[in-house]
Amino acid sequence: MDKTLATDEMWEAYTGATGRGGDYTVGAFGDHPQLVDELLALVLDGTKRATAAAVREFELVGEPLPRAGDHFVVLDSAGTPRCICRTTEVRIGPLSSVRPAFAWDEGEGDRTREDWLHEHSRYFDRVAEHAGIDLPEDVEVAFERFAVVWPAEHADPPQGPRSELDPFNLTDTYLHLRLGAGVAALPGGPEFWTKIGERPHLERGRLVSSFPVEADWEHWERLLTGGRVLYLLDGSIDLILELPTGQETVELRGRQGIVVPPGVWHRAVVHEPGELLTITPGATTEHRGV
């Protein structure tokens, strides 16, 4: 697909905000308008982070195969640019070599390998018919994973500087459970919260962390969107909740927890120091003094 003034403007906004350079291509997911918009919706809500195309498709349009680090602007069915993706991984192999994890990351249908093979076989049949060519049953495929990098409200959070197989502690490494199936490890600790306003992408999905509770909270907290899970791993605390009916105290002892509803002010009174696990939206938290 050709670049337009609109795709150039989106690319310039991205490079101006991030300092990145280089070039980009333009494309859409799917081969008919309804599918284009359905797949785009899966990308924007965080479900779809992989795509697959026959190697022959690239040859037919004279485009090179994707490479890790490539950027592409994604269009909707009306030709409007909606986001920018960066390729993170490419593997070339026969259709039958698709792995269950890849089928899941592509986010389509029931996300199983069997469903993926069925639907992609149908897709490649349509490609062959439209192009007037023959494709082998076990066609050679470019299996591509990607991340959304722009605009900021849809961008994936940056990955933490660690291997996925390294053990971690939730007090210094937080997990962002994105909508769909994605999980990102983020450097945590007290400094993380001082910059929470610079991380609007964390509002999508849930943030998992833990922290020591050693003294009574000197402030009240409330979340404006979504409930907050507070699970006491050890120790003894009381949670004070400001409900419409008045204040209520919930006693939490080791390995107990509650879900705090959105909009409810709450604070902790510590009887025995311990550690508190939280599952919460990653932003929209308010504080006020006791």
Side-chain angles (χ1 to χ4, degrees):
M1 296 182 177
D2 295 330
K3 299 176 181 177
T4 65
L5 177 60
T7 62
D8 283 342
E9 288 176 347
M10 176 172 275
W11 179 251
E12 289 168 4
Y14 168 63
T15 57
T18 63
R20 287 186 174 271
D23 201 1
Y24 71 95
T25 58
V26 180
F29 298 103
D31 61 337
H32 58 81
Q34 180 180 349
L35 184 59
V36 166
D37 289 335
E38 288 176 358
L39 298 185
L40 174 63
L42 293 177
V43 172
L44 296 181
D45 74 13
T47 301
K48 181 178 176 65
R49 287 298 181 268
T51 187
V55 171
R56 187 80 172 104
E57 291 183 74
F58 294 96
E59 297 172 350
L60 289 171
V61 296
E63 293 182 358
L65 291 172
R67 297 176 302 174
D70 287 351
H71 288 78
F72 55 100
V73 175
V74 183
L75 307 179
D76 62 19
S77 62
T80 303
R82 299 294 302 279
C83 66
I84 299 175
C85 297
R86 184 183 70 249
T87 302
T88 59
E89 175 188 318
V90 179
R91 181 181 68 86
I92 307 299
L95 179 70
S96 62
S97 71
V98 64
R99 297 159 185 163
F102 185 90
W104 179 269
D105 289 345
E106 192 151 355
E108 301 173 26
D110 66 9
R111 306 181 77 169
T112 64
R113 181 178 182 275
E114 292 72 22
D115 187 66
W116 189 97
L117 283 169
H118 175 71
E119 293 301 322
H120 281 74
S121 294
R122 295 177 58 195
Y123 168 75
F124 292 132
D125 286 344
R126 296 198 303 269
V127 169
E129 181 179 0
H130 178 76
I133 61 174
D134 291 325
L135 290 175
E137 182 176 339
D138 205 9
V139 60
E140 191 173 36
V141 172
F143 299 95
E144 178 182 2
R145 281 188 168 90
F146 59 84
V148 176
V149 296
W150 192 260
E153 61 266 27
H154 293 300
D156 295 334
Q159 297 295 316
R162 58 187 308 283
S163 165
E164 293 181 354
L165 299 181
D166 290 342
F168 61 89
N169 188 313
L170 281 173
T171 58
D172 54 30
T173 298
Y174 299 161
L175 299 181
H176 183 222
L177 309 182
R178 300 194 296 263
L179 296 176
V183 179
L186 307 172
E191 186 174 328
F192 177 92
W193 302 106
T194 65
K195 299 180 179 179
I196 193 68
E198 302 172 13
R199 305 169 184 259
H201 53 268
L202 295 182
E203 295 185 27
R204 306 192 308 278
R206 288 293 184 268
L207 191 68
V208 182
S209 63
S210 70
F211 56 90
V213 282
E214 299 172 338
D216 297 352
W217 291 5
E218 297 179 352
H219 61 272
W220 294 86
E221 296 185 2
R222 71 172 178 179
L223 277 75
L224 300 183
T225 58
R228 180 186 196 186
V229 176
L230 295 176
Y231 187 85
L232 190 66
L233 297 172
D234 54 58
S236 174
I237 68 173
D238 290 345
L239 281 177
I240 315 299
L241 309 178
E242 282 194 350
L243 302 174
T245 54
Q247 285 194 4
E248 182 171 332
T249 299
V250 178
E251 296 181 354
L252 292 184
R253 305 304 178 245
R255 309 195 72 78
Q256 289 183 319
I258 68 167
V259 178
V260 180
V264 172
W265 289 105
H266 57 283
R267 69 184 183 94
V269 174
V270 179
H271 299 293
E272 181 183 340
E275 186 167 357
L276 192 63
L277 175 78
T278 69
I279 305 174
T280 176
T284 64
T285 301
E286 291 187 340
H287 301 84
R288 66 177 172 84
V290 173

